Amino acid sequence: MIKVAKFGGSSLADAGQFQKVKAIVEADPSRRFVVASACGKSSPSDHKVTDLLYLCQAHLRYGVSYEPIFKEIETKYYAIKEALHLSLDLDAEFARIRKMMNKDVSTDLLVSRGEYLTSRLLAEYLDFDFLDAADVLAFHYDGTIDYERTASQLSSRTGERGVVIPGFYGALPNGAIRVFSRGGSDVSGAVIANVVNADVYENWTDVPGFLVTDPRIVKDPMPIKRINYSELRAMSYMGANVLHDDAVFPVRSKNIPINIRSTNDPDAPGTMILSDCSEMDAMDPPPIITGITGRKNFTALTLTCSHASALPGYLRQILEVFEEFKVSVESVPMTVDTISVIVSSDAVSENLYDIVNQLREKIKPDSLKIEENLAMIAIVGRAIQEKPGMSGRLLSEFGRNQINIKVISQSADELCVTVGVNNRDFEKAVRCIYEKFIAEESKGAEG
Ligand code: ASP
C-alpha cells in the first residue's frame, strides 16, 4: 500500500501544526511520500509565506526595501525550528535566498522557497529524506508535466525511507524553476501519486472534507462522504473550492482515489473522491443530492425567432457570435422558438452591446432580451437519476419559498440540475434546498 499525503499551508502553519502532521504520518507506515505546501496562516491576522514572497518580489521590482517582509518570513521559520529543536542551518538558507534576491532572481524561483524551506524542516522533523522538487518534478517547456522524466527521477532517488517533496514547483528541462498556479501543491501531490501508482492520494487540509455547500451560506454544512470525479468537476466549475482544478487529471487517469482529510480532525474519514462510487454506494446508499453550489452575476440573452427550431444551423450561428468575442457560454436552455444564452456578466462586461448588435444583424431575431443579475445554482448528485419526481420536488420547494425560477436545465445524464434565480434569491435558494434535501433527509435516515 502506498499513500501520497499532501499537507496544505494551514496544516504546516506553525510548530503545533507540524506536530499534528508528524502524528498523522507516523500513524500509517504507508504514508511514505509526503508533499508539503509553504507555511500558511497560523491566525487570521497572520500571512501565508507564499503571499509574503510574492510581495518581496514586487518590492524588488520597484526597488523598495523588502526587509520587513522578509524578516516576517524568517521569524516564522526560526520559530518552528526552535520549537521543534531542529538543526537545519536556516542562517545559511536565508543568506542564499538573500543573495539570489540581489541577483535578479526569477519570480518562480523566489516564490518556490516557501515550499522548499517548509519541506526541509518537515523532512528533518519526520526523519524522512528531503527530495528537492527541482530534481523530481519535470516540466516540459510548455508547462505541461513530463511524467516519464518525473517517474524516472523519482524512482532513482527513493528507496525504503519516506520522503518529503516540496509542492508547487518543479524544473524545466534547462533546470529553471517553474511554479504551478496558486494552490498548485495539490497538483504536485497528484503528479507524485500518479508516478508512484499510489493506492490513495490524501489531501490534508483544514476542513473536514469537501462540504455539501458553502459554509458562508449554510452554517456548518455536512461534509460529503463520497463523490465521483464528474460530480466534483460540476461542483468546482460552479464555484466550490477545495482542490486545485488541475489536481484531478493526474489521479483520475490512473483511477487513484483522492481522500480529503482534516489535519485538525485526523480521525474523521473526510471525503473520498472516486472515479466510480457504485460499488460503495451499493453497500451504503448515497444521499440524493451530493452537493449544492453556485455563482452569482450571470447575464441571459434570450432570442425569440419564429420557426427557429426548423432552421438547421440556427443554434450554431448564435453560438459563433459568442465564440468570435471569446466568451464562453455557461448554459443554453431552449424552448421551441426561444433560446437563452447564459454567460458570466464579467465575460461580457466590455462588449455586451457589440454582441447584441452582431446577434441582431446575423440572426435577425423577432426579439432579443437581456436579463442581468442572475445567479446559477447547481444541484449535483449521482443519485438524482434514480429518483423520479426529484425535479418536481425541487421546483415545488422553490415555489413554497416564493423563489422565482428564471431558468432550469438538466443534461440527460441527470447528474446536475441547474437553476437560475435572481441574484438576491441566491443564498435563500441554497439554504432551502440544503434544509429540505440534506438536513431533513439525513435526520430521516438517522431516525
Ligand atoms: N504555497 C502556494 C500557494 O500559496 C502553493 C500551495 O500552497 O498549494 O499558492
Side-chain angles (χ1 to χ4, degrees), residues 6 9 37-38 48 50-51 115 168 181-186:
K6 179 255 163 179
S37 280
K48 287 173 148 191
T50 312
D51 290 343
E115 270 69 15
F168 192 39
S181 57
R182 295 299 305 269
S185 300
D186 282 347

Side-chain angles (χ1 to χ4, degrees), residues 413-434:
D413 61 6
E414 298 173 77
L415 185 80
C416 176
V417 181
T418 309
V419 180
V421 299
N422 200 299
N423 269 347
R424 64 170 177 270
D425 288 331
F426 175 66
E427 285 85 2
K428 183 176 171 192
V430 171
R431 270 184 221 119
C432 82
I433 306 166
Y434 183 87

Side-chain angles (χ1 to χ4, degrees), residues 146-223:
D146 183 340
Y147 282 94
E148 246 174 67
R149 204 150 59 85
T150 303
S152 76
Q153 294 187 150
L154 184 59
S155 77
S156 68
R157 287 172 170 79
T158 44
E160 283 309 300
R161 275 173 62 78
V163 293
V164 178
I165 306 169
F168 192 39
Y169 70 94
L172 293 168
N174 63 3
I177 297 288
R178 164 153 189 144
V179 295
F180 290 106
S181 57
R182 295 299 305 269
S185 300
D186 282 347
V187 191
S188 307
V191 170
I192 301 298
N194 173 303
V195 298
V196 302
N197 292 311
D199 295 280
V200 55
Y201 170 32
E202 291 182 338
N203 193 294
W204 292 84
T205 170
D206 57 354
V207 286
F210 203 170
L211 301 177
V212 169
T213 194
D214 188 337
R216 288 166 302 185
I217 302 177
V218 171
K219 192 167 174 287
D220 295 331
M222 303 205 305

Side-chain angles (χ1 to χ4, degrees), residues 101-379:
M101 289 166 86
N102 296 331
K103 279 212 295 184
D104 235 6
V105 61
S106 77
T107 304
D108 284 25
L109 172 54
L110 178 57
V111 302
S112 71
R113 296 306 85 188
E115 270 69 15
Y116 170 83
L117 288 172
T118 309
S119 301
R120 291 293 310 259
L121 287 173
L122 185 63
E124 185 188 342
Y125 186 49
L126 296 178
D127 192 23
F128 274 22
D129 290 336
F130 168 78
L131 279 189
D132 194 341
D135 299 326
V136 174
L137 200 141
F139 282 104
H140 292 291
Y141 277 115
D142 66 2
T144 56
I145 302 292
D146 183 340
Y147 282 94
E148 246 174 67
R149 204 150 59 85
T150 303
S152 76
Q153 294 187 150
L154 184 59
S155 77
S156 68
R157 287 172 170 79
T158 44
E160 283 309 300
R161 275 173 62 78
V163 293
V164 178
I165 306 169
F168 192 39
Y169 70 94
L172 293 168
N174 63 3
I177 297 288
R178 164 153 189 144
V179 295
F180 290 106
S181 57
R182 295 299 305 269
S185 300
D186 282 347
V187 191
S188 307
V191 170
I192 301 298
N194 173 303
V195 298
V196 302
N197 292 311
D199 295 280
V200 55
Y201 170 32
E202 291 182 338
N203 193 294
W204 292 84
T205 170
D206 57 354
V207 286
F210 203 170
L211 301 177
V212 169
T213 194
D214 188 337
R216 288 166 302 185
I217 302 177
V218 171
K219 192 167 174 287
D220 295 331
M222 303 205 305
I224 298 171
K225 225 197 237 181
R226 269 191 310 281
I227 182 169
N228 68 32
Y229 285 125
S230 312
E231 292 174 301
L232 176 75
R233 176 86 190 111
M235 298 269 303
S236 319
Y237 183 70
M238 284 305 281
N241 187 6
V242 172
L243 202 63
H244 193 296
D245 266 356
D246 297 341
V248 171
F249 174 76
V251 278
R252 184 177 190 166
S253 63
K254 286 209 170 161
N255 271 339
I256 299 169
I258 306 175
N259 190 193
I260 312 269
R261 303 280 293 265
S262 170
T263 302
N264 302 325
D265 186 6
D267 295 330
T271 300
M272 271 320 252
I273 306 170
L274 303 158
S275 329
D276 181 3
C277 297
S278 50
E279 219 173 278
M280 291 174 99
D281 286 353
M283 292 181 289
D284 172 25
I288 312 173
I289 291 176
T290 305
I292 311 157
T293 177
R295 282 188 277 140
K296 284 184 178 174
N297 300 327
F298 288 90
T299 298
L301 292 97
T302 302
L303 296 95
T304 306
C305 188
S306 39
H307 310 301
S309 57
L311 299 174
Y314 175 69
L315 184 57
R316 177 184 48 76
Q317 286 174 34
I318 294 176
L319 295 180
E320 257 173 16
V321 172
F322 291 87
E323 191 180 344
E324 248 171 64
F325 285 90
K326 301 206 171 355
V327 172
S328 80
V329 168
E330 305 287 333
S331 169
V332 192
M334 53 204 285
T335 53
V336 187
D337 288 335
T338 302
I339 295 182
S340 291
V341 180
I342 300 180
V343 294
S344 130
S345 305
D346 272 352
V348 291
S349 62
E350 307 268 297
N351 45 24
L352 181 60
Y353 289 97
D354 295 332
I355 293 175
V356 167
N357 286 340
Q358 280 253 16
L359 287 169
R360 287 215 166 99
E361 224 169 82
K362 268 187 138 171
I363 313 292
K364 302 191 175 36
D366 300 333
S367 73
L368 199 167
K369 208 171 105 197
I370 300 171
E371 203 163 336
E372 295 182 298
N373 300 317
L374 271 183
M376 300 297 284
I377 301 172
I379 299 133

